[in-house]
Amino acid sequence: MPALKWGLIGASDIAATRVIAAIRASGGETIGVFSGSADRAADFAAGNGLPDYTTDLDALLDWEIDAVYISSTNALHFEQAIRALKAGKHVLCEKPLALEAVQAEAMVELAEALGLVLAANHHLPGSPLHAKVRELVSAGTIGTVLSAKIAHAVLLPERLRGWRLGLGTPGSGVILDITCHDASVLNPLLGTPVAATAMAVRQAAWNTGGQEDAAMTVIQYQGDAGPPVLAQTHDSFTVGFAQTSLEVHGTEGTIQVTDAMTQDTAGQVILITASGTRAVDVDCSQDLYVIGLRAFTAAVKGTGVPTATGRDGLMALKVALAAQESAVSGRTVHIN
Ligand code: NDP
């Protein structure tokens, strides 16, 4: 199959800083961009070496392209993905896939019915660090899994302090932004998420948008066998000096991963058992977005599966929505 031809929906920061380079590294060709603003579209195309641009989504979908990458604001993902699928394009959609589970379900079902690839651009489950943790856990290295803990508290870069912080802006807030990334890592590791309890607050003086910028969540999982598992996540836009991490605790050992949730794969996997503490070899040389784009390309070619399928994206969204509802209601929310 010749190189995948891509149309970009959204003149976004993540497309410019990560994904265009990853598309090219995966052998793909970026044809052009759709933006809501003609000036932004023209600037973005010129700045990123794209041959074409448009403010008409139907025009982009008429281009000779195989796939679209959607990185617009969260509230637009659903409608744009449905239109792209109906136009016969494979879809790599940014997280969260949609704002409601029924919307993400509709995306997944439409892609399946049309035989098209729909994937969520969750970069973390494809990280060799997380692949190694899943491998150690399924090999029984730490016994029966009991609990996990994710530290994903970061400082939101100034250039991104816009729509994410808008109180009442659909799709804003730290939970849809970061907790859904955590769920993309925890779900394939721990089994089925069954309930979430969360608290969310606003902390940063610079957060004039007013939306919550810090959250802590407890998620209960049920695996195929064994006791219920508890996972705890700390997600924040306000913490400037912490490392991200993942810990998984079992009856026979603990796995610690340093720098587990960053965009760059600089972390280390450490295994602690009765035999002692040792670092586990992991090859972290590949860019996570390139891993994701190569997996998506293989899925389109019928030789692989995406790093996070549409269904994986749906399940990550369900956890985030449950956490968000819990933070508002003060109650534990069950996940279907
Ligand atoms: P941006 O704010 O950079 O872009 C989102 C949209 O905002 C763009 O599509 C653009 O609309 C509009 N926009 C961009 N710059 C301006 C501006 N200066 N003035 C007015 N509007 C502007 O968002 P991000 O790149 O941070 O996020 C985009 C998506 O990607 C989100 O869904 C987010 O959750 C996801 N994301 C995923 C990451 C991952 O690691 N998987 C990391 C970061 C984000 P238009 O297209 O109409 O020009």
Side-chain angles (χ1 to χ4, degrees):
M1 188 182 176
L4 274 198
K5 291 195 165 94
W6 289 82
L8 310 180
I9 300 179
S12 69
D13 184 85
I14 185 70
T17 56
R18 299 278 174 172
V19 176
I20 291 173
I23 288 174
R24 289 172 178 154
S26 71
E29 209 180 313
T30 44
I31 302 302
V33 65
F34 160 83
S35 164
S37 140
D39 286 348
R40 257 196 328 272
D43 287 352
F44 191 90
N48 293 284
L50 308 178
D52 213 342
Y53 65 85
T54 180
T55 55
D56 177 355
L57 186 56
D58 289 326
L60 177 140
L61 294 172
D62 274 345
W63 292 344
E64 274 190 30
I65 52 173
D66 308 292
V68 297
Y69 166 60
I70 299 175
S71 63
S72 50
T73 50
N74 297 340
L76 296 175
H77 294 175
F78 168 63
E79 190 227 322
Q80 292 172 338
I82 293 288
R83 285 173 69 182
L85 289 167
K86 284 184 174 166
K89 311 303 177 193
H90 301 286
V91 173
L92 176 61
C93 184
E94 269 306 342
K95 38 58 62 173
L97 276 190
L99 299 190
E100 296 173 27
V102 287
Q103 295 176 331
E105 263 155 14
M107 291 160 68
V108 168
E109 280 166 16
L110 183 60
E112 284 174 357
L114 295 173
L116 294 165
V117 176
L118 166 70
N121 197 37
H122 282 293
H123 59 296
L124 291 166
S127 160
L129 296 169
H130 294 296
K132 180 58 75 178
V133 173
R134 292 195 297 271
E135 184 189 313
L136 290 169
V137 166
S138 55
T141 316
I142 60 167
T144 302
V145 173
L146 303 170
S147 56
K149 200 158 122 180
I150 283 183
H152 201 163
V154 296
L155 188 65
L156 186 66
E158 251 183 272
R159 69 180 195 282
L160 300 183
R161 293 175 189 171
W163 58 268
R164 276 180 178 75
L165 300 169
L167 190 62
T169 302
S172 64
V174 69
I175 291 178
L176 278 183
D177 203 53
I178 305 188
T179 311
C180 92
H181 271 315
D182 302 343
S184 78
V185 165
L186 293 169
N187 292 349
L189 182 65
L190 302 180
T192 306
V194 293
T197 306
M199 290 185 88
V201 295
R202 186 171 75 86
Q203 296 180 323
W206 46 256
N207 178 0
T208 49
Q211 179 59 283
E212 279 110 2
D213 52 27
M216 290 194 179
T217 304
V218 176
I219 310 158
Q220 185 184 321
Y221 282 87
Q222 186 62 59
D224 294 335
V229 176
L230 290 177
Q232 186 187 0
T233 65
H234 174 200
D235 300 310
S236 159
F237 290 149
T238 62
V239 174
F241 303 95
Q243 273 194 326
T244 67
S245 63
L246 165 69
E247 291 174 11
V248 190
H249 307 291
T251 51
E252 311 300 326
T254 282
I255 301 165
Q256 290 178 339
V257 187
T258 60
D259 289 312
M261 311 301 286
T262 61
Q263 286 176 317
D264 299 299
T265 52
Q268 210 187 6
V269 175
I270 296 156
L271 178 63
I272 307 166
T273 64
S275 314
T277 299
R278 70 175 175 93
V280 179
D281 250 7
V282 183
D283 176 3
C284 288
S285 55
Q286 272 196 77
D287 177 271
L288 298 187
Y289 295 89
V290 176
I291 292 173
L293 263 296
R294 285 193 177 134
F296 184 91
T297 305
V300 170
K301 292 181 176 177
T303 57
V305 287
T307 297
T309 63
R311 282 198 183 277
D312 295 332
L314 164 65
M315 285 314 294
L317 173 66
K318 283 189 176 186
V319 172
L321 290 174
Q324 199 168 52
E325 187 183 333
S326 171
V328 171
S329 68
R331 295 173 193 277
T332 296
V333 173
H334 293 274
I335 300 165
N336 290 326

